[in-house]
Amino acid sequence: MSHHHSHLSDADDRTLPEFNTLQKVKRRFFAMRNGALGAQMRGAGLDYRVNFGLNIMQVKEIAAEIAGGEWGLSSHELVELATTLWENENTRESRLLAPMIFPADIMSMELAARWLAQAQNPEIIDHLCHSLLRRLPFAGDLWRFAVDNATTDLQRYGALRLLLNLLIIGKGDRVAGAEVARAELGRDVPLTKALASRVLEEIEAWD
């Protein structure tokens, strides 16, 4: 259901299958952009080459249009669009939107692990885990894989964040989770400390 623009020849359309949809996404970003919020985030250390300053509700609104069928995209087209958006790592909103529209029943363990390892800051990790990863049927295996393969504090943060999301929905492994969280607290790393404490609080709330 893509709308052709008169300045594009048919040949262009054939070589750029995702052109119209991607342009449409960017137009939505532009329409909602908030320079002041973008500048505020930069001041807080969220440094992207492109930051439209959208709040999360606005990104979710765009995601609901796209994934809710308004744009008439097939699952295959949603996967292509989400992948293209995710690969655009320099644009904050592209990285936030990608996991919101990726069909959870199609994502593979390998791709999920790659995205979690590639997420470049806590904001992207938080929304990746909340929008997509916690809903995957293999999410329990994914967080263990993430713990075992974390080579940076940020990747450890990603593993803990996914664990916390799973615990909140009653799906996390509480015994293994407590062990991992305690070990992380013992490392005393500012980035992961509060998150490790929240994991332990969540586990204790169940006991």
Side-chain angles (χ1 to χ4, degrees):
M1 225 174 72
S2 58
H3 300 290
H4 292 324
H5 299 295
S6 53
H7 64 271
L8 273 181
S9 71
D10 288 343
D12 285 338
D13 268 357
R14 273 200 301 276
T15 52
L16 294 170
E18 83 291 353
F19 181 83
N20 292 327
T21 314
L22 207 53
Q23 288 304 99
K24 205 167 159 184
V25 170
K26 285 190 176 150
R27 277 204 295 274
R28 299 293 283 121
F29 288 164
F30 268 110
M32 294 181 172
R33 75 183 179 277
N34 179 337
L37 191 58
Q40 208 178 316
M41 288 184 218
R42 267 192 297 284
L46 276 178
D47 203 15
Y48 295 90
R49 198 175 302 159
V50 181
N51 184 344
F52 290 97
L54 269 60
N55 63 44
I56 295 305
M57 289 318 294
Q58 290 173 311
V59 182
K60 283 183 174 170
E61 191 184 308
I62 298 171
E65 284 173 26
I66 297 171
E70 276 181 51
W71 289 26
L73 301 178
S74 66
S75 290
H76 176 69
E77 287 168 323
L78 282 173
V79 167
E80 277 196 347
L81 179 60
T83 305
T84 304
L85 287 167
W86 181 259
E87 284 166 359
N88 183 11
E89 64 191 65
N90 295 315
T91 302
R92 171 177 170 267
E93 287 74 10
S94 291
R95 281 240 148 158
L96 289 172
L97 182 60
M100 293 182 187
I101 65 170
F102 200 110
D105 55 341
I106 295 178
M107 180 147 247
S108 68
M109 171 80 175
E110 187 193 356
L111 188 61
R114 192 184 320 147
W115 278 27
L116 188 54
Q118 288 171 341
Q120 72 268 53
N121 62 45
E123 183 191 31
I124 300 296
I125 291 170
D126 292 350
H127 291 287
L128 172 63
C129 291
H130 182 79
S131 304
L132 178 63
L133 302 186
R134 69 185 179 131
R135 296 166 44 221
L136 301 173
F138 48 80
D141 295 329
L142 179 60
W143 88 258
R144 280 190 195 80
F145 178 85
V147 167
D148 295 342
N149 291 276
T151 55
T152 65
D153 291 336
L154 191 61
Q155 287 174 0
R156 284 191 190 90
Y157 178 97
L160 283 168
R161 168 54 72 180
L162 181 54
L163 169 61
L164 181 61
N165 271 288
L166 290 173
L167 289 166
I168 288 169
I169 57 176
K171 286 186 176 175
D173 180 333
R174 301 207 286 280
V175 178
E179 204 179 300
V180 167
R182 282 195 197 99
E184 196 54 46
L185 273 179
R187 291 179 68 244
D188 199 26
V189 173
L191 179 68
T192 56
K193 210 164 152 179
L195 192 52
S197 295
R198 280 185 65 194
V199 166
L200 287 173
E201 279 164 26
E202 192 62 39
I203 290 167
E204 280 152 21
W206 283 92
D207 294 340

